[in-house]
Amino acid sequence: MASHQLVVSPPEALLKPLLVPNRLLLGPGPSNLAPRVLEAGGLQMIGHMHKEMYQIMDEIKQGIQYVFQTRNRLTLAISGSGHSGLEAALFNILEPGDSFLVGVNGMWGQRAAEIGERIGARTHPMIKDPGGYYTMQEVEKALAQHKPVLLFLTQGESSSGVLQPLDGYGELCHRYQCLLLVDCVASLGGAPIHMDRQGIDILYSGSQKVLNAPPGTALISFSDKAKNKIYSRKTKPYSFYLDMQWLANFWGCDDKPRKYHHTTPVISLFSLRESLALIAEEGLENTWRRHREVTSYLQGRLQGLGLQLFVKDPALRLPTVTTVAVPAGYDWRDIIKYIMDHFSIEISGGLGPSLGKVLRIGLLGCNATRENVDRVIEALEEALQHCPRNKL
């Protein structure tokens, strides 16, 4: 027995039942869990190195290959949110002194540029105002000027609602001996992506958006070109936890006996497996079509309220997260608070460079229904009637 008396009492809050409100999450993520995913989260634990767990991990790899449309062997899930996918990509590909070209048209380009600088890469941001995207001509000019080993683009920039075109960008990068890294956290499952055909070398996403799984796992895949860059590094990656050679072995991607690296979030992997199974059952083309059609319906209803869509070109609007300009005279915080307090529906304000400029409405996975559109439009209409104007 310990010889000292306890100086901290049991917290009173922890002696009461856990209470979690029931809310419709129509922000940019996380999204509500699909019933089958929620059920998977209640299964009993097994060991992270049991043969049954390895089988589940193999099934997850196959699911990622399907949703990414890739045959890359170096495909796996990382124990961490989508942000860990970005760090894993940059930590493993970049070395100090490498030239790194970054498309910064929102929050995630800003993060990529900062991580590149921390690694010691020669980081070259291509800065655009929120709502902007990158043309092939702009990218080629920057590739010729900076001669980067890696280009970062965000397919679905959730902070501004922009969908970045990708066809031809991989081929362009390869002509300049550059690898292409794409963030599809906010777009995977809601917008078409074809990793192999589009020449994407590193692709990552997260579990908590269209997949309707809990936050905490990131999907990632590396082409053979990217794998060769990793395995020919002159220096070790800064992170041991995200070292891709260790993770590749642990996930059975290198034909060698699996060795312990870290304890994976077993229950979260159960949920991720089921979320990938749901997409496989619906079919990628069907889920892309559903998101496109329901979001088009949302955008029409928003315009019917007199709201202005932030992204002008319909072809560049992200089919999972729609942005509208904050209506004149309103404080955006009043609007989202009213909708939360009176309807238990979450929508969001801007993020990073779009903060204060937009409202963001997400239709992610099982939440992408016309019924949910009608619910959020009713809430918005009432909020615009009752929230004070000209307060700022």
Side-chain angles (χ1 to χ4, degrees), residues 158-232:
S158 60
S159 66
S160 63
V162 167
L163 181 69
Q164 169 67 44
L166 293 174
D167 284 347
Y169 289 75
E171 180 183 355
L172 176 62
C173 284
H174 297 160
R175 289 208 303 268
Y176 286 85
Q177 289 74 54
C178 176
L179 299 173
L180 175 58
L181 164 62
V182 173
D183 173 323
C184 68
V185 172
S187 53
L188 182 70
I193 195 161
H194 301 269
M195 183 175 186
D196 290 355
R197 289 189 176 182
Q198 292 174 316
I200 300 168
D201 294 290
I202 309 104
L203 185 65
Y204 72 89
S205 192
S207 57
Q208 76 276 16
K209 306 273 187 176
V210 172
L211 294 183
N212 299 127
T217 50
L219 298 65
I220 197 165
S221 182
F222 296 83
S223 71
D224 286 342
K225 288 187 179 71
K227 179 181 176 181
N228 291 339
K229 178 76 165 69
I230 293 171
Y231 281 73
S232 62

Side-chain angles (χ1 to χ4, degrees), residues 298 301-302 305 361 372-382:
L298 168 67
R301 295 294 311 271
L302 289 168
L305 292 181
I361 302 172
N372 285 340
V373 170
D374 293 338
R375 289 179 63 183
V376 75
I377 291 296
E378 177 189 356
L380 260 173
E381 188 172 23
E382 185 174 310

Side-chain angles (χ1 to χ4, degrees), residues 351-367:
L351 185 66
S354 68
L355 183 64
K357 299 179 180 179
V358 300
L359 298 172
R360 297 184 294 159
I361 302 172
L363 296 172
L364 304 171
C366 63
N367 283 351

Side-chain angles (χ1 to χ4, degrees), residues 48-65:
H48 60 288
M49 297 183 73
H50 291 181
K51 64 178 183 179
E52 294 85 358
M53 194 65 222
Y54 286 156
Q55 176 63 33
I56 292 169
M57 292 164 72
D58 288 343
E59 292 170 4
I60 288 171
K61 287 191 294 183
Q62 294 169 27
I64 298 172
Q65 288 173 323

Side-chain angles (χ1 to χ4, degrees), residues 56-216:
I56 292 169
M57 292 164 72
D58 288 343
E59 292 170 4
I60 288 171
K61 287 191 294 183
Q62 294 169 27
I64 298 172
Q65 288 173 323
Y66 173 64
V67 295
F68 281 6
Q69 284 296 287
T70 182
R71 293 186 173 89
N72 293 334
R73 291 200 60 204
L74 186 43
T75 299
L76 51 88
I78 294 170
S79 305
S81 68
H83 204 298
S84 69
L86 172 59
E87 296 210 339
L90 297 182
F91 285 164
N92 283 277
I93 295 294
L94 292 177
E95 297 190 74
D98 280 347
S99 179
F100 177 34
L101 183 62
V102 188
V104 182
N105 62 338
M107 180 74 171
W108 306 113
Q110 288 182 339
R111 292 284 175 89
E114 178 169 340
I115 296 166
E117 291 170 356
R118 292 187 181 203
I119 292 171
R122 292 180 289 114
T123 303
H124 308 286
M126 300 184 293
I127 298 176
K128 293 239 179 198
D129 290 335
Y133 77 104
Y134 299 93
T135 66
M136 294 271 284
Q137 293 77 14
E138 291 170 332
V139 169
E140 182 164 19
K141 181 179 178 181
L143 289 171
Q145 178 182 355
H146 299 295
K147 299 177 175 57
V149 302
L150 183 67
L151 165 66
F152 171 89
L153 293 174
T154 307
Q155 185 193 30
E157 179 48 75
S158 60
S159 66
S160 63
V162 167
L163 181 69
Q164 169 67 44
L166 293 174
D167 284 347
Y169 289 75
E171 180 183 355
L172 176 62
C173 284
H174 297 160
R175 289 208 303 268
Y176 286 85
Q177 289 74 54
C178 176
L179 299 173
L180 175 58
L181 164 62
V182 173
D183 173 323
C184 68
V185 172
S187 53
L188 182 70
I193 195 161
H194 301 269
M195 183 175 186
D196 290 355
R197 289 189 176 182
Q198 292 174 316
I200 300 168
D201 294 290
I202 309 104
L203 185 65
Y204 72 89
S205 192
S207 57
Q208 76 276 16
K209 306 273 187 176
V210 172
L211 294 183
N212 299 127

Side-chain angles (χ1 to χ4, degrees), residues 33 42 54 96 134 142 208 235 270 273 280 285 291 321 353 374 390:
L33 302 187
Y54 286 156
Y134 299 93
Q208 76 276 16
T235 60
F270 293 169
R273 190 267 182 202
E285 292 177 325
H291 281 83
V321 180
D374 293 338
N390 300 316

Side-chain angles (χ1 to χ4, degrees), residues 273-287:
R273 190 267 182 202
E274 291 300 273
S275 71
L276 291 167
L278 287 171
I279 288 212
E281 290 177 1
E282 181 176 5
L284 269 177
E285 292 177 325
N286 292 329
T287 186

